[in-house]
C-alpha cells in the first residue's frame, strides 16, 4: 500500500480524502489542516463520509512530512497564495513524496512554465527524489486528455473547443461567485477572475499543452470576454438574492491562435440563473456540464455530466478532477522522480473499485 496524506480539507481536500479512501492502492496516513478548529478531527468526519478513518487532522506539517509519506495530495488553494503554495509543495517534494495538486496553474504545461518556478521544482526533485504532477479542477482532463483523445477520432480537424457551462445558483461558494467572478455586482465592477491576462494565466497552459500534443505552433494566446446583466432579480437557495441589472452571466474564451485563427479554445459560460443570456450555450439539463467539440470532418461533440454532493454538478466536476489526480499516484510512485504533465501521465482505469468497494 502507498502511504498518502491530504494537505488541505476545503472543497478540494474533502473530495481528495474520499478519493484516497476509495483507492485500493492507497492508505491515508495523514491530514494537514491550517484551521486549528479542524485539528484533532477524524479524516472521515472532515470528508463527510459518515464513518471514521482513524486518522486525525493536524497542523504539524513537520511531523507529517517527517513520517515520509510516499504521496501528498496538495489540496490547499493557490489562487491567492501562489508563493506559499509553491513553498509548501517544494517542501513535500524535498521530503521525497510524489505530489499531485491543482494549485499551480503555471505548471499545467510544465515545459513552458516560468523558468524560475520550473527550476525550483527541478532542484527540489533532485534534492529529495520526489515528483510533481499538476492538473486542473476545472476539470483538467476536460481541457487536455479528453479533447486530445477525441481529436484522434477525427479526420480533418479545424477547431478544438473545450467548454465549461454552469449555472452557479446551486453553488454554495458566495465569496467566489459574488466577488471573484462578479455575479450580483454592478456591471462596472471588475471581477478579479475576469481581469485582463488572468484567464490566460489560469487556462493558457492547457491551451499550450494541447497545441504541443497536436504538433502546432501558436502565434499567440488571446482572450475574449462578454458579460450580461440580469433582467429580473432572482433568488437562489444557497446565496440569496441577485438584483436586476447586476452581472448575471459571463462568457470568456482563451484562444490558441494558429495562422491567425482561433484553433484551440477553452471557453467558460457561467450564469447565476438560466434566464440570463439564454442565447449562449446551455447544458443539456441540470446546472452544468463539460463539453468538448471537435469542429471538422466529422464534427464530434462529447458532453460529460458529473454529479456529486446532493446532486451538485460543480462539485461533481471537482470530484472528477480530484479523481484524475489521485488515480495518477500509483503510476507516479512507480515512475522515475520528475516533473510531469497531463501528456506524460496516462488516464488510469478505476482498477479494484468496480462496485464501490476497494479490491
Amino acid at each position: 500500500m502507498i502511504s498518502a496524506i491530504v494537505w488541505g480539507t476545503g472543497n478540494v481536500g474533502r473530495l481528495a480524502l474520499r478519493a484516497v479512501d476509495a483507492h485500493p492502492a492507497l492508505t491515508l496516513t495523514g491530514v494537514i489542516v491550517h484551521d486549528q478548529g479542524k485539528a484533532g478531527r477524524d479524516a472521515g468526519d472532515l470528508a463527510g463520509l459518515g464513518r471514521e478513518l482513524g486518522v486525525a487532522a493536524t497542523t504539524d506539517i513537520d511531523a507529517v512530512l517527517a513520517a515520509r509519506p510516499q504521496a501528498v495530495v496538495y489540496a490547499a488553494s493557490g489562487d491567492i497564495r501562489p508563493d506559499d503554495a509553491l513553498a509548501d509543495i517544494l517542501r513535500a517534494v524535498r521530503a521525497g513524496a510524489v505530489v499531485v495538486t491543482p494549485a499551480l496553474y503555471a505548471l499545467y504545461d510544465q515545459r513552458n512554465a516560468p523558468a524560475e518556478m520550473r527550476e525550483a521544482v527541478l532542484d527540489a526533485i533532485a534534492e529529495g527524489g520526489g515528483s510533481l504532477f499538476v492538473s486542473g479542477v476545472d476539470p483538467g482532463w476536460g481541457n487536455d486528455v479528453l479533447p486530445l483523445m477525441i481529436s484522434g477520432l477525427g479526420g480533418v480537424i479545424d477547431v478544438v473547443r473545450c467548454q465549461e457551462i454552469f449555472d452557479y445558483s446551486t453553488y454554495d461558494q458566495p465569496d467566489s461567485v459574488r466577488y471573484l467572478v462578479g455575479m450580483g455586482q454592478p456591471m462596472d465592477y471588475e471581477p478579479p477572475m475576469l481581469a485582463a491576462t488572468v484567464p490566460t494565466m489560469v487556462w493558457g497552459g492547457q491551451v499550450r499543452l494541447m497545441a504541443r500534443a497536436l504538433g502546432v505552433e501558436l502565434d499567440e494566446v488571446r482572450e475574449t470576454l462578454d458579460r450580461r446583466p440580469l433582467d429580473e432579480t432572482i433568488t437562489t437557495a444557497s446565496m440569496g438574492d441577485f438584483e436586476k441589472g447586476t452581472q448575471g452571466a459571463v462568457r470568456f474564451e482563451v484562444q490558441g491562435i494558429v495562422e491567425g485563427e482561433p484553433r484551440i479554445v477553452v471557453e467558460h459560460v457561467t450564469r447565476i440563473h438560466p434566464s440570463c443570456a439564454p442565447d449562449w450555450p446551455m447544458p443539456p439539463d441540470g446546472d452544468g456540464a463539460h463539453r468538448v467539440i471537435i469542429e471538422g470532418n466529422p464534427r464530434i461533440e462529447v458532453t460529460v455530466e458529473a454529479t456529486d454532493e446532493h446532486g451538485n454538478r460543480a462539485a461533481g466536476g471537482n470530484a472528477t478532477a480530484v479523481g484524475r489526480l489521485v488515480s495518477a499516484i500509483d503510476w507516479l510512485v512507480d515512475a522515475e522522480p520528475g516533473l510531469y504533465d497531463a501528456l506524460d501521465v496516462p488516464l488510469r482505469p478505476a482498477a479494484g473499485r468496480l462496485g464501490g468497494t476497494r479490491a
Side-chain angles (χ1 to χ4, degrees):
M1 297 286 281
I2 297 168
S3 60
I5 71 165
V6 173
W7 189 331
T9 58
N11 289 329
V12 173
R14 183 173 65 253
L15 297 169
L17 287 169
R18 297 178 188 178
V20 169
D21 176 62
H23 199 293
L26 307 180
T27 182
L28 184 70
T29 58
V31 179
I32 296 174
V33 294
H34 173 72
D35 183 354
Q36 287 285 352
K38 292 182 178 181
R41 290 175 59 184
D42 186 85
D45 177 32
L46 292 171
L49 287 173
R51 56 185 169 84
E52 292 192 350
L53 297 180
V55 179
T58 179
T59 59
D60 192 341
I61 298 170
D62 289 335
V64 174
L65 294 182
R68 304 291 290 185
Q70 293 169 275
V72 174
V73 185
Y74 187 82
S77 174
D79 289 346
I80 59 175
R81 49 183 294 279
D83 293 339
D84 290 340
L86 177 60
D88 289 343
I89 289 166
L90 294 179
R91 190 173 176 182
V93 171
R94 288 194 193 97
V98 160
V99 181
V100 296
T101 184
L104 302 176
Y105 303 129
L107 290 173
Y108 287 166
D109 176 27
Q110 54 89 8
R111 295 190 189 180
N112 291 304
E116 63 275 13
M117 176 183 285
R118 193 170 190 276
E119 288 168 5
V121 173
L122 293 175
D123 287 346
I125 291 168
E127 179 181 339
S131 294
L132 177 61
F133 170 47
V134 181
S135 180
V137 291
D138 47 344
W141 54 263
N143 299 331
D144 49 52
V145 291
L146 181 62
L148 293 174
M149 179 178 66
I150 295 169
S151 75
L153 304 176
V156 175
I157 307 298
D158 294 324
V159 178
V160 176
R161 178 175 295 271
C162 309
Q163 293 179 325
E164 180 177 89
I165 309 168
F166 271 94
D167 169 6
Y168 272 2
S169 62
T170 62
Y171 193 45
D172 189 13
Q173 292 292 321
D175 287 344
S176 295
V177 171
R178 288 187 181 274
Y179 304 111
L180 194 62
V181 181
M183 297 300 185
Q185 299 297 328
M187 293 301 291
D188 59 359
Y189 174 78
E190 296 183 2
M193 182 58 74
L194 306 179
T197 76
V198 171
T200 297
M201 179 190 73
V202 178
W203 289 279
Q206 294 172 329
V207 170
R208 295 185 185 95
L209 192 78
M210 286 189 281
R212 174 153 57 91
L214 293 168
V216 296
E217 294 289 334
L218 296 180
D219 304 337
E220 60 176 322
V221 176
R222 294 179 189 164
E223 298 175 2
T224 68
L225 174 64
D226 195 0
R227 302 163 67 203
R228 298 277 184 87
L230 284 164
D231 292 331
E232 301 291 340
T233 296
I234 62 100
T235 301
T236 66
S238 59
M239 290 180 289
D241 293 342
F242 289 76
E243 299 294 330
K244 176 182 178 179
T246 64
Q247 180 182 292
V250 170
R251 183 179 187 178
F252 67 83
E253 295 183 1
V254 179
Q255 304 174 336
I257 307 301
V258 180
E259 296 182 351
E261 296 293 330
R263 299 293 187 186
I264 302 171
V265 181
V266 174
E267 177 184 10
H268 280 230
V269 179
T270 304
R271 299 175 174 86
I272 198 60
H273 193 268
S275 65
C276 197
D279 53 313
W280 291 355
M282 302 285 285
D285 62 79
D287 56 10
H290 294 93
R291 180 179 295 151
V292 173
I293 302 170
I294 307 296
E295 299 287 0
N297 188 13
R299 183 184 187 276
I300 306 170
E301 181 174 316
V302 174
T303 298
V304 179
E305 299 173 281
T307 304
D308 194 20
E309 293 193 339
H310 311 295
N312 189 297
R313 287 195 176 153
N318 287 345
T320 61
V322 170
R324 161 69 164 148
L325 288 164
V326 171
S327 293
I329 288 174
D330 56 339
W331 185 91
L332 290 163
V333 167
D334 289 339
E336 291 295 318
L339 175 56
Y340 294 94
D341 59 39
L343 301 186
D344 303 313
V345 181
L347 190 63
R348 314 298 306 291
R353 284 172 277 173
L354 186 61
T357 59
R358 293 163 63 123

